[in-house]
Amino acid sequence: FSGKEVKPKGPFTPKFEDYQQVYNTVAKALEEHDEYDDGSYGPVLLRLAWHASGTYDKETGTGGSNGATMRFTPEGDHGANAGLKAARDFLDPIKEKFPWISYSDLWILSGICAIQEMQGPHIPFRPGRTDRDVSFCTPDGRLPDASQEQKHLRTIFGRMGFNDQEIVALSGAHALGRCHTDRSGYDGPWTFSPTTLTNDYYKLLIEEKWAWKKWSGPKQFEDVTTKSLMMLPTDMVLIKDKSFRQYVEKYAKDNDAFFKDFADVVTRLFELGVPFTTGEDARWTFKSSFDEA
Ligand code: ZEM
């Protein structure tokens, strides 16, 4: 008996610096893999975080970003999630490097990293999501269907707890990325700078002329001037519906107002259904590569 006290090694409790290290690793991987799509995995990482969160149902408390159940069949195979394997595969080596982070925290942290590294606003983060098994998969049909109208948008986003203004603010994410014929069936980007977050989505909705695209694919709009941009039927609803339109006009005129409202509503979206043990004052803000050292 040595008499030496053996302290039980408790579980590793990661701190802000540890999560910032994960953030930096995602940011570096984004920079390194500029061969993908329009030059960035950023948009598809944001879409992963949104589809993980957007399954939330406020009545039953089911769904949301806690659980990362999209890793499993059937949720991973839901039509709305087509193509998101690219984002999950991109994150696999990062999960291996930081095994202590849950998939569900990693997906949300990566969505935040994508927004910030595409020059969007800072999105506060707090950890606390745990991974759950296949039995927590949400039923198909909880995410929006792009072929529908305002009633559908209000039903889907109302189920998550969002109002008209918040639906419009969230939709500004479509400044980023594109539609892929082998994923949703739709085709093309919404803006000319799909890897930089701006209020261009709103500006283009209002300032461009849009017409039905003549093709054999699903019904979508194209800009009359260049025929290189697109809008989904649900995007056009935002200027057809009077209540939605007032917010499109506001954000088209005022990028700061868009960034502020976008940051607020995305923060809430990403926290839906998560049983945090810490308060909102425990949220952290990650430093992006654009911030001063
Ligand atoms: Zn999207 N989205 N989305 N979205 N989305 C696509 C792509 C992206 C809808 C929708 O049907 C589609 C929000 C809201 C809504 C992003 C973020 C957010 C695509 C194309 C479709 C069809 C998928 C493909 O083919 O690859 C509908 C109907 C919505 C209701 C309003 C919200 C909210 C988002 C985040 C806050 C992003 C970043 C993309 C681009 C993905 C990529 O791979 O480029």
Side-chain angles (χ1 to χ4, degrees):
F1 180 64
S2 71
K4 224 172 149 193
E5 199 186 328
V6 180
K7 270 201 187 145
K9 240 186 159 183
F12 168 56
T13 310
K15 299 188 178 51
F16 171 70
E17 292 70 34
D18 300 298
Y19 288 93
Q20 178 73 57
Q21 226 191 324
V22 180
Y23 178 104
N24 295 347
T25 307
V26 176
K28 188 155 170 267
L30 281 174
E31 201 183 307
E32 280 170 3
H33 291 278
D34 62 356
E35 76 285 354
Y36 175 78
D37 227 11
D38 295 300
S40 174
Y41 272 91
V44 79
L45 284 188
L46 173 55
R47 185 171 162 243
L48 175 67
W50 140 239
H51 280 207
S53 309
T55 55
Y56 182 65
D57 173 22
K58 65 178 186 196
E59 296 301 326
T60 59
T62 56
S65 66
N66 198 42
T69 46
M70 203 199 295
R71 288 170 297 151
F72 309 118
T73 305
E75 196 175 331
D77 297 333
H78 289 167
N81 291 331
L84 288 177
K85 193 172 181 298
R88 298 196 298 275
D89 289 350
F90 174 86
L91 292 175
D92 271 349
I94 297 169
K95 168 72 178 157
E96 265 170 46
K97 201 168 166 199
F98 303 97
W100 50 264
I101 195 170
S102 63
Y103 280 98
S104 37
D105 272 340
L106 176 63
W107 289 0
I108 295 304
L109 185 156
S110 301
I112 287 172
C113 180
I115 292 170
Q116 295 189 177
E117 296 304 310
M118 294 189 287
Q119 300 182 47
H122 288 90
I123 311 290
F125 171 86
R126 56 183 156 151
R129 296 165 193 79
T130 48
D131 297 334
R132 299 200 282 196
D133 67 31
V134 61
S135 70
F136 287 90
C137 280
T138 45
D140 201 0
R142 287 205 176 175
L143 291 161
D145 168 356
S147 69
Q148 305 267 330
E149 304 252 326
Q150 48 268 57
K151 189 166 164 248
H152 172 76
L153 286 182
R154 290 192 172 104
T155 304
I156 293 284
F157 283 93
R159 193 207 65 231
M160 298 172 217
F162 294 122
N163 63 27
D164 285 6
Q165 173 262 317
E166 292 165 326
I167 293 171
V168 176
L170 281 169
S171 298
H174 282 171
L176 299 168
R178 60 166 57 241
C179 296
H180 304 77
T181 50
D182 58 340
R183 295 180 181 179
S184 60
Y186 296 100
D187 188 31
W190 290 266
T191 66
F192 293 110
S193 53
T195 62
T196 308
L197 186 62
T198 65
N199 63 342
D200 282 359
Y201 168 79
Y202 305 107
K203 286 189 185 166
L204 286 159
L205 264 176
I206 288 185
E207 291 166 15
E208 267 308 321
K209 273 190 92 173
W210 298 93
W212 290 110
K213 179 181 170 79
K214 291 190 180 64
W215 75 325
S216 55
K219 286 176 87 173
Q220 67 174 68
F221 293 85
E222 69 181 6
D223 70 303
V224 170
T225 318
T226 70
K227 295 186 189 299
S228 60
L229 301 179
M230 71 93 58
M231 289 288 168
L232 300 164
T234 42
D235 294 311
M236 292 303 284
V237 157
L238 303 186
I239 53 169
K240 281 190 220 143
D241 182 278
K242 268 207 177 118
S243 170
F244 286 142
R245 188 179 174 109
Q246 58 180 318
Y247 303 111
V248 175
E249 286 173 354
K250 176 178 170 175
Y251 298 141
K253 279 195 212 99
D254 187 346
N255 192 61
D256 290 346
F258 165 52
F259 269 27
K260 189 193 170 294
D261 289 356
F262 182 74
D264 286 349
V265 72
V266 167
T267 303
R268 270 184 52 215
L269 171 73
F270 286 176
E271 294 195 343
L272 292 176
V274 184
F276 291 108
T277 53
T278 55
E280 292 182 4
D281 57 350
R283 288 178 181 144
W284 298 318
T285 302
F286 295 118
K287 234 163 57 151
S288 84
S289 2
F290 302 102
D291 295 327
E292 298 286 319

